Amino acid sequence: MSTEPATVAAAEELELSFANARVFQDLLGHHDEHIKAIERSLGVRIGVTGTTVHVAGDGVSRELAGRVLSQLYGVVEKGYPIYSSDVDYAVRILSRDRGANLRDIFLDTIYISSHKRIITPKSVAQKQYIDAIRNFDIVFGIGPAGTGKTYLAMAMAVAELMKNNFARMILTRPAVEAGEKLGFLPGDLAEKVNPYLRPLYDALHDMVDFDRAQKMLERGVIEVAPLAFMRGRTLNDSFVILDEAQNTTGEQMKMFLTRLGYGSKAVITGDVTQIDLPAGRASGLKEAQLILKGIEGIRFCNFTERDVVRHRLVQEIITAYDRHETKRDEQKSAPKGTPASHSNDA
């Protein structure tokens, strides 16, 4: 039985009363850290008396803070352990979409990692992405770094593997040279390409304990390989993830997509703003967006800087770079002798 908080609106204050004292304490967080996070994010003041909170501030922020507290209470009530980062995500989600339901997002458990942390979506876009992976055989996740594209795809793949819905999981990415020639690096071929695959191993070991992951790698249940190793293969009963797809050529993307066999699923992730291909080479990910648009059974999911789930400064860094690149493009396109328009932003 749900125990929704009672709400009373005063002239300059919102009052919310919560029924379950234990759930309420979890909502507050250690030393009221969750309350303090909401105060910082929304510029409100929150007082606590027993199991009642009083929210003071401007009308919009006050109402939003009340909505965040009420919905987070409902999430905690269902047994979900919230962290300070979850409070930040809740504020972001409800700031952009007042009709969003945090229970639908936070309670959609994908997997429990080797560190016993529950992996769930943290934004509306992530929830839509997860639903697309469940329902479509080919899904493209496109957007900036830190939006959880690869991590969530891997969590879905590991979860499906543990349920025996797929025979194996294949993680791949193009080994694009970034200023250092592979031929000059020490070691055999495997040692040369390993640095390019390291991020995939790191994410894998975050989800599956090291010994179990090693056994699965040795048995071929999980395979991590550069994209070039996919040529000529047919991948049946496999959950396949292509990471850093913005660095594929058109030929490589076509090669990868045509590897898919019976009973398989593919997730392709990339950030079209961070292409490391040589000048003059078109990105296979950009081409795929145009060529495959409208094909039934393929879904494109787009993320923005607002979906970044890393440190809050990462979102601001991405926004700053986007603003800088937009201004630079305006200056390039302005006729010679004509000053580009300047923003009034402080």
Side-chain angles (χ1 to χ4, degrees), residues 195-227:
Y196 295 94
L197 305 174
R198 190 74 256 165
L200 297 177
Y201 282 109
D202 290 343
L204 175 62
H205 290 140
D206 190 46
M207 296 174 197
V208 182
D209 67 78
F210 185 83
D211 290 339
R212 189 175 188 182
Q214 287 302 112
K215 288 178 182 176
M216 295 174 88
L217 287 163
E218 289 167 7
R219 293 184 358 242
V221 176
I222 297 178
E223 179 182 347
V224 184
L227 180 59

Side-chain angles (χ1 to χ4, degrees), residues 223-237:
E223 179 182 347
V224 184
L227 180 59
F229 288 16
M230 297 295 109
R231 190 173 297 280
R233 300 175 63 182
T234 300
L235 307 175
N236 293 319
D237 299 316

Side-chain angles (χ1 to χ4, degrees), residues 244-261:
E244 296 289 321
Q246 76 275 7
N247 289 327
T248 62
T249 62
E251 295 82 3
Q252 287 176 320
M253 179 61 77
K254 180 181 176 183
M255 178 273 290
F256 172 79
L257 291 172
T258 53
R259 299 307 92 203
L260 207 63

Side-chain angles (χ1 to χ4, degrees), residues 257-315:
L257 291 172
T258 53
R259 299 307 92 203
L260 207 63
Y262 292 108
S264 290
K265 186 183 293 285
V267 180
I268 300 95
T269 68
D271 177 4
V272 293
T273 68
Q274 296 194 40
I275 297 172
D276 298 318
L277 291 168
R281 298 301 299 271
S283 167
L285 181 58
K286 278 190 167 183
E287 283 188 353
Q289 287 180 275
L290 298 173
I291 296 170
L292 304 179
K293 185 178 180 181
I295 295 181
E296 188 175 350
I298 298 178
R299 175 60 61 93
F300 287 86
C301 297
N302 295 292
F303 298 85
T304 70
E305 73 282 349
R306 296 185 303 179
D307 299 304
V308 170
V309 291
R310 290 180 182 170
H311 193 289
R312 64 174 183 81
L313 286 176
V314 173
Q315 183 177 3

Side-chain angles (χ1 to χ4, degrees), residues 32 51 61 87-88 92 94 103 111 119 122 125 156 160 163 165-166 172 175 212 247 250 279-280 305 321 331 339 341:
D32 294 346
T51 57
S61 298
V87 177
D88 290 335
R92 287 190 213 173
L94 294 174
R103 288 191 195 184
Y111 187 68
I119 300 174
K122 302 298 184 185
M156 287 289 291
E160 292 296 297
K163 296 173 189 171
N165 290 337
F166 293 90
T172 185
R212 189 175 188 182
N247 289 327
E305 73 282 349
Y321 270 95
Q331 290 171 343
S341 60

Side-chain angles (χ1 to χ4, degrees), residues 133-203:
I133 293 173
R134 290 187 176 119
N135 297 313
F136 292 84
D137 287 336
I138 297 179
V139 175
F140 287 80
I142 303 172
T147 48
K149 305 180 300 295
T150 304
Y151 194 83
L152 288 175
M154 289 184 65
M156 287 289 291
V158 171
E160 292 296 297
L161 200 61
M162 297 304 179
K163 296 173 189 171
N164 294 317
N165 290 337
F166 293 90
R168 56 182 170 165
M169 167 181 168
I170 299 173
L171 312 172
T172 185
R173 67 190 319 195
V176 174
E177 298 169 4
E180 188 169 28
K181 298 295 183 184
L182 279 172
F184 297 148
L185 294 174
D188 59 21
L189 181 60
E191 291 171 323
K192 289 177 191 291
V193 300
N194 190 61
Y196 295 94
L197 305 174
R198 190 74 256 165
L200 297 177
Y201 282 109
D202 290 343

